[in-house]
Amino acid sequence: MLTHLVALVLLLLVLQTSSKEDDICNHALTTDPIKDKSTMMSGYGILFTVSSPYTTTTSQINQQEEMIISSLGFYVDTNELASLDDTDVSYEVYTLQGYYADPQRTNGGNGGLPINSTFDYRSSSLDGWDKIAEGSFDSSDLTSWPPNDWTNANYFQIPYSDFESVTLPPSSRGDEVVSFYITLKEVGALLYSPIETWEDLHDEQRVIHCGATHSITNIPVGDGSVDGYDIKDKPIIHIGEKVVSYPMTDVAYFYQPSKFMGSLYYLNKCPTSSPTTMPSSSISPSKSLPTKAPTQSPLNSPPKPTQSPTKSLQPTMSYVYRGENGCDDFISTDRDYESFKSETTSSYGIVFPITSNDDDDDGLMITTFGFHVNLLDDSSDSTTVNYEVYVLESEDIYADPNRTSTGPVSFDYRGDFSLWNKISTGTIQDKDLNGDYFQIPFTLFEPTFVPQNGGIRSFYLTLVDSNALVFNTAKKSQLGNVQKDDDYSNKIKDRPLLRYGEGITGYPFHTSQFLYSPKRFVGKVFYEIDCPSQEPSEVPTFAPSISVAPTTTSSPTESPR
């Protein structure tokens, strides 16, 4: 017993007298989402590069110590995770020495076909990449981040023991880089942020330093979150590109500059200040890092203001009167839009079926759509967007309803424009919106017949140059089921039945099934009815959106086919 006590005392003396310059800590470097929180979007993965701190002379490079990346953390869209019915989500991380694609490729590296590229490792084969981490997590593994920001538990850090460390080479101007590829496998829930107009591919991302923990004891050391610009000896995270599928696609068109949202953990000398808290038994960053936090966490900063409707989005009567053009009723899924608006997501398009009631012996005519567009979160920063609507030529559902993510399918019409007819096209400007609601003018929509007694037509609604189309997340088990009409009138025999469809990442839609995830259409579907015997005494409150005259000046664009 005495021997053990003496040994413990000697160990404490050694620790007290050891030079703190020899102590190594895991430092957390988190991308700064002060602006990005309100614009974050989700996909399957992210590509980005990291370099060592910049140096200016050969002697500095020779004197520069190796910098080691010890872990990564990332944010996820919990609404997207809900579509998996509470099953685990798998992740993978890969690395590659150097750039993952020629930085001087076509269009200055801003996506596009790499016609002038001398190399490109963006490929489903993953040739040249080394896997350095893989695992899974569920909602119970998520935490809030940075420390003491408990507003949203949507952050996951890869355990140090599950991550194969990566060494960064010395860098003179950021030209010596290491590429990283982080991806989820089952769902496109990895959050990223679109770039601003002044940002470009490979630019340095703004970061915050979220403290450090001792690499052996896991004891928090030093201060809490500070601006990354005050930390000179740190890795540089560069703007990369979103990945829209798993595995990553070979089609360069689908890559667009985007910012990694998460943390990079690296080994470096510990701060000189003493730890203020005891070590935690968990590796969870929110439990093991210092409790000292900024008075207002960057992740908890006020979100970007959203545009609120100044007028009701609902008609003041039960049908729409269009004079000699007849009358229309509608089904809607957005009557309580303001109550769930914060839970919606957005992307380029949605594909969904509409069926007639089994008891409808006549069939019905779809006359237009109304939908929501979030131009404030549009990554293109444009105030004008183009839209297109297609209908599947055959009276059928757009893909085998019994398909799985891995199994064979008997048919799948997604992505083959030769099988679809364009029935509407136009342009949306700010002046055309009622809040964020837009309704396609009846005169710009080709009426489409849905056959009687449960007949099916499949529709593809898409924005051409923007990811601002609003929809809501659904579960895989709901795919193809009937969406609830706001009036709960789905049993009225002459009303159409709107069914759960799938959101689409990118334009035009693609044959790759990984670009699709279950979604709920948010908006209105109009259909033709026999006019009541007396004309209405007033017009709907959104009359400007349903004017018989077109609200746009654009002419139909050519179909991609």
Side-chain angles (χ1 to χ4, degrees):
M1 179 70 179
L2 181 61
T3 303
H4 286 289
L5 181 61
V6 172
L8 178 59
V9 172
L10 290 175
L11 177 60
L12 291 173
L13 289 173
V14 170
L15 288 175
Q16 290 175 352
T17 58
S18 65
S19 171
K20 289 189 178 295
E21 292 184 352
D22 294 331
D23 288 340
I24 301 298
C25 281
N26 282 299
H27 295 254
L29 199 66
T30 304
T31 53
D32 185 0
I34 291 177
K35 170 72 167 60
D36 300 330
K37 184 178 181 182
S38 63
T39 62
M40 287 192 292
M41 304 179 66
S42 63
Y44 275 86
I46 187 80
L47 288 160
F48 62 97
T49 56
V50 178
S51 64
S52 295
Y54 300 157
T55 56
T56 56
T57 66
T58 302
S59 61
Q60 287 178 313
I61 295 177
N62 293 335
Q63 294 172 5
Q64 189 179 48
E65 297 180 3
E66 288 184 344
M67 185 159 285
I68 297 176
I69 307 302
S70 55
S71 181
L72 289 169
F74 49 84
Y75 296 96
V76 294
D77 185 339
T78 53
N79 290 328
E80 289 288 345
L81 294 184
S83 68
L84 295 181
D85 300 317
D86 298 323
T87 58
D88 287 354
V89 181
S90 305
Y91 67 85
E92 295 175 348
V93 182
Y94 297 81
T95 188
L96 180 148
Q97 291 293 323
Y99 287 100
Y100 58 82
D102 185 353
Q104 303 303 320
R105 61 189 183 275
T106 299
N107 196 24
N110 289 308
L113 296 177
I115 299 174
N116 302 321
S117 178
T118 58
F119 62 91
D120 193 337
Y121 295 105
R122 297 173 298 177
S123 169
S124 58
S125 67
L126 292 174
D127 290 340
W129 292 87
D130 294 321
K131 183 186 291 186
I132 58 173
E134 64 178 330
S136 62
F137 62 90
D138 59 26
S139 58
S140 66
D141 298 312
L142 300 179
T143 185
S144 299
W145 185 257
N148 288 354
D149 176 15
W150 301 102
T151 57
N152 191 12
N154 67 338
Y155 179 84
F156 176 76
Q157 184 199 338
I158 300 173
Y160 295 113
S161 58
D162 294 342
F163 189 93
E164 184 179 331
S165 61
V166 177
T167 301
L168 299 179
S171 176
S172 59
R173 296 179 304 277
D175 51 353
E176 294 292 337
V177 303
V178 173
S179 295
F180 288 88
Y181 167 40
I182 305 174
T183 184
L184 304 182
K185 296 178 65 175
E186 294 86 1
V187 64
L190 187 74
L191 289 174
Y192 64 88
S193 179
I195 64 173
E196 302 291 348
T197 54
W198 62 84
E199 295 176 318
D200 205 350
L201 188 67
H202 303 312
D203 283 355
E204 180 179 344
Q205 282 194 231
R206 183 174 179 177
V207 295
I208 50 177
H209 184 274
C210 291
T213 56
H214 197 282
S215 60
I216 298 177
T217 65
N218 203 34
I219 298 175
V221 179
D223 296 327
S225 300
V226 296
D227 195 307
Y229 286 116
D230 296 330
I231 308 295
K232 303 302 180 184
D233 194 15
K234 68 178 186 302
I236 308 298
I237 301 175
H238 302 273
I239 292 175
E241 292 173 297
K242 66 179 181 180
V243 181
V244 300
S245 64
Y246 175 84
M248 71 169 100
T249 178
D250 300 356
V251 183
Y253 175 85
F254 287 108
Y255 293 92
Q256 294 296 326
S258 303
K259 289 181 284 189
F260 165 62
M261 301 302 298
S263 301
L264 183 149
Y265 297 80
Y266 65 100
L267 294 175
N268 206 351
K269 296 175 182 177
C270 292
T272 56
S273 58
S274 300
T276 57
T277 60
M278 294 300 292
S280 168
S281 60
S282 169
I283 71 153
S284 172
S286 63
K287 299 177 183 177
S288 63
L289 288 183
T291 57
K292 183 178 179 181
T295 56
Q296 182 177 12
S297 169
L299 276 179
N300 196 24
S301 60
K304 185 177 181 179
T306 56
Q307 185 177 357
S308 299
T310 57
K311 295 177 279 187
S312 170
L313 298 181
Q314 305 300 329
T316 58
M317 54 194 175
S318 62
Y319 67 96
V320 178
Y321 176 67
R322 292 190 286 126
E324 63 181 15
N325 293 299
C327 293
D328 292 84
D329 201 348
F330 61 91
I331 56 175
S332 69
T333 61
D334 61 352
R335 175 155 293 175
D336 298 321
Y337 178 63
E338 289 302 317
S339 67
F340 64 80
K341 181 178 179 180
S342 61
E343 303 171 5
T344 61
T345 58
S346 62
S347 191
Y348 278 83
I350 186 170
V351 58
F352 57 93
I354 294 177
T355 63
S356 62
N357 258 289
D358 291 339
D359 297 332
D360 180 3
D361 296 328
D362 300 316
L364 53 93
M365 195 73 74
I366 304 298
T367 53
T368 195
F369 294 147
F371 50 90
H372 297 263
V373 288
N374 192 354
L375 294 182
L376 288 178
D377 286 352
D378 175 18
S379 62
S380 67
D381 292 324
S382 173
T383 58
T384 300
V385 295
N386 298 299
Y387 67 87
E388 294 175 351
V389 183
Y390 296 83
V391 64
L392 185 65
E393 289 180 349
S394 60
E395 298 172 352
D396 201 351
I397 195 168
Y398 60 85
D400 182 357
N402 297 315
R403 67 189 183 278
T404 66
S405 59
T406 57
V409 296
S410 59
F411 64 92
D412 193 338
Y413 305 129
R414 296 172 297 179
D416 186 351
F417 273 101
S418 67
L419 304 175
W420 297 76
N421 291 329
K422 183 186 289 185
I423 58 175
S424 183
T425 185
T427 299
I428 306 172
Q429 300 179 12
D430 284 338
K431 64 182 179 64
D432 302 317
L433 296 174
N434 191 329
D436 65 1
Y437 176 83
F438 174 76
Q439 185 177 308
I440 301 173
F442 290 100
T443 53
L444 293 183
F445 191 100
E446 180 181 329
T448 301
F449 181 69
V450 179
Q452 65 276 13
N453 303 125
I456 302 175
R457 298 305 298 269
S458 293
F459 294 87
Y460 167 40
L461 166 65
T462 184
L463 302 181
V464 175
D465 41 19
S466 170
N467 53 10
L469 181 68
V470 173
F471 39 58
N472 220 333
T473 301
K475 296 180 180 295
K476 286 185 177 180
S477 58
Q478 294 174 310
L479 196 60
N481 292 345
V482 177
Q483 276 194 236
K484 279 285 188 181
D485 177 11
D486 287 331
D487 291 327
Y488 303 99
S489 303
N490 289 330
K491 294 303 181 183
I492 299 177
K493 73 173 186 176
D494 291 334
R495 293 175 72 87
L497 301 179
L498 173 65
R499 297 184 177 272
Y500 288 95
E502 292 174 287
I504 302 169
T505 302
Y507 171 87
F509 65 169
H510 199 265
T511 56
S512 174
Q513 59 184 324
F514 293 106
L515 299 178
Y516 299 84
S517 58
K519 299 294 179 184
R520 289 182 286 168
F521 173 76
V522 176
K524 298 177 177 64
V525 175
F526 290 79
Y527 61 99
E528 191 175 80
I529 62 171
D530 293 331
C531 287
S533 57
Q534 184 176 357
E535 295 181 12
S537 58
E538 56 181 331
V539 295
T541 56
F542 55 66
S545 296
I546 63 164
S547 169
V548 175
T551 60
T552 63
T553 58
S554 65
S555 58
T557 57
E558 292 296 323
S559 169
R561 54 176 172 168

